[in-house]
Amino acid sequence: RSILLTKEIYASLLNSIKVHAPHTLKHVLYDTGYRSGLQNATEAREYFGNIEECLRYLLNVMENNGMGKLELLSFDPSSARVKLRCYDSYEVDIADQFGGLYRAPQVICDLLRGTFAAYLTVLFEQEMICEELLCKSMGEKYCEFVAMPYPKDLLGKGGAL
């Protein structure tokens, strides 16, 4: 089952979080992407023998859902490092149309980051983290993400995702 929210409703939801709990916005978006991504990747993983093929399928689903045009730039299973690019991120589009969520310019695609981290956590069977290096919200032509294993020395010390 799914629901369809207009951009206006989604933007209103984000602005409500910004008004009532601005310090949580990035965390709420990342966690939302992460939790939903875990479920989606776990379901998809059952149908693919190859993890890169499964990732490409998941990225295609995201594209079809209007999240942006996604490109897998690099995929290194031996080091569990992945680089992704997103053109026309819906998160940037919403911020441009309905006003910025943050006072200072910064990378803003936190829901995408969380989703990518979850997908890769399931696929590589280890805790992964994803960071946004470039963002269209800061004048770039696209958003770019890098994902890697979560540092083992932080796991179990309050640093686990």
Side-chain angles (χ1 to χ4, degrees), residues 88-157:
D88 299 320
S89 163
Y90 79 101
E91 290 186 86
V92 174
D93 184 43
I94 287 170
D96 287 348
Q97 271 190 313
F98 300 99
L101 296 172
Y102 306 102
R103 289 183 198 170
Q106 59 184 285
V107 295
I108 64 169
C109 299
D110 298 303
L111 196 134
L112 288 174
R113 276 189 326 113
T115 304
F116 298 148
Y119 286 176
L120 296 167
T121 292
V122 169
L123 298 177
F124 286 118
E125 298 177 343
Q126 63 179 311
E127 195 70 37
M128 299 287 288
I129 189 165
C130 181
E131 294 298 334
E132 186 175 12
L133 304 177
L134 302 171
C135 189
K136 191 173 178 187
S137 71
M138 297 183 67
E140 302 294 338
K141 293 182 181 189
Y142 46 77
C143 303
E144 197 163 277
F145 304 85
V146 64
M148 64 200 74
Y150 200 81
K152 289 181 183 2
D153 59 337
L154 294 179
L155 289 174
K157 297 181 182 176

Side-chain angles (χ1 to χ4, degrees), residues 21 84 147:
L84 300 151

Side-chain angles (χ1 to χ4, degrees), residues 59-75:
L59 296 176
N60 189 53
V61 169
M62 290 176 74
E63 272 190 41
N64 291 338
N65 288 334
M67 298 179 98
K69 168 85 173 90
L70 298 165
E71 180 181 3
L72 180 59
L73 297 175
S74 65
F75 183 88

